[in-house]
Amino acid sequence: MPTVEPQSELIPDPSAIAAVVAQLVEGTWPGSDAERENLFERVPFKSGERLNQGIEGSSTTSFALVTELPGISFASWSTYNGKFMSINLHAYSFPEAESRTTRLGHDAVCGILTDLYGQPTRLLSNEEVPPSTWKVNGREIDLHFFNRRNSSLMLSVSDSELAAATDAEAAHDSNPSVRIEPSH
């Protein structure tokens, strides 16, 4: 796993966020609940209560996530059909638009992830700072910068195949004429 040195006075330190990402993308992605629990002990994370109680028929289940990383305003983890799919973290969150700290945090985290994993893919977007995506070791790292009404950085690390299945299911649910072809 790459070593990341502290970069700034930002809380959390961008290098600490990058270190969590490195722990999630290096090695084998958990294939069982016991393996996910072992990963959570190493990071360290603790699973919290289920977040989407009462949503019937959903293939995705989300849970609160507790982390010792200071400055995380919200964290969760998700499953798809019972398989561990993703971790989601929000940092540098402020109840104001155009937070300079949020922008500095985003740029620092994006820079470290680019140094570690190469140039991200950026889909065309009408946003000033388009989302960044890295594909690493069967994982997808997504970094979003929000700054219109509130400011926040959202970081997700997902199993690429399970995330694609979730997206396909969501597209199918919103447009029943879309046909989903199973992978072989």
Side-chain angles (χ1 to χ4, degrees):
M1 177 171 39
T3 302
V4 182
E5 296 298 322
Q7 298 289 311
S8 71
E9 298 299 317
L10 290 167
I11 299 172
D13 187 298
S15 64
I17 292 175
V20 167
V21 171
Q23 289 180 56
L24 294 170
V25 300
E26 305 293 327
T28 304
W29 190 256
S32 68
D33 205 42
E35 290 173 359
R36 180 202 48 82
E37 288 174 4
N38 286 336
L39 173 67
F40 280 17
E41 286 178 21
R42 287 191 313 271
V43 173
F45 289 147
K46 289 184 183 166
S47 181
E49 66 184 57
R50 184 174 168 176
L51 298 175
N52 54 350
Q53 297 282 355
I55 299 176
E56 295 298 321
S58 175
S59 300
T60 304
T61 305
S62 296
F63 300 87
L65 185 66
V66 179
T67 177
E68 294 176 5
L69 190 62
I72 299 297
S73 60
F74 176 78
S76 65
W77 67 279
S78 301
T79 64
Y80 178 73
N81 288 330
K83 296 178 182 174
F84 176 57
M85 179 178 61
S86 64
I87 295 285
N88 303 290
L89 304 172
H90 289 254
Y92 316 117
S93 300
F94 296 94
E96 61 191 52
E98 309 285 333
S99 166
R100 181 178 178 280
T101 301
T102 303
R103 180 60 188 258
L104 288 172
H106 168 272
D107 292 351
V109 170
C110 189
I112 294 169
L113 294 177
T114 299
D115 289 346
L116 291 172
Y117 304 116
Q119 288 297 317
T121 301
R122 292 193 172 102
L123 300 177
L124 295 178
S125 156
N126 62 353
E127 298 175 44
E128 174 188 339
V129 180
S132 299
T133 301
W134 293 264
K135 304 251 185 195
V136 181
N137 194 24
R139 314 314 186 281
E140 186 171 298
I141 304 165
D142 292 306
L143 186 67
H144 295 264
F145 172 69
F146 300 107
N147 71 339
R148 291 197 177 145
R149 192 168 45 144
N150 296 314
S151 297
S152 184
L153 168 103
M154 183 178 82
L155 175 85
S156 301
V157 179
S158 307
D159 175 279
S160 296
E161 288 183 22
L162 295 177
T166 300
D167 291 345
E169 185 175 293
H172 181 267
D173 288 348
S174 66
N175 184 0
S177 65
V178 174
R179 183 177 171 161
I180 300 172
E181 294 292 328
S183 63
H184 298 285

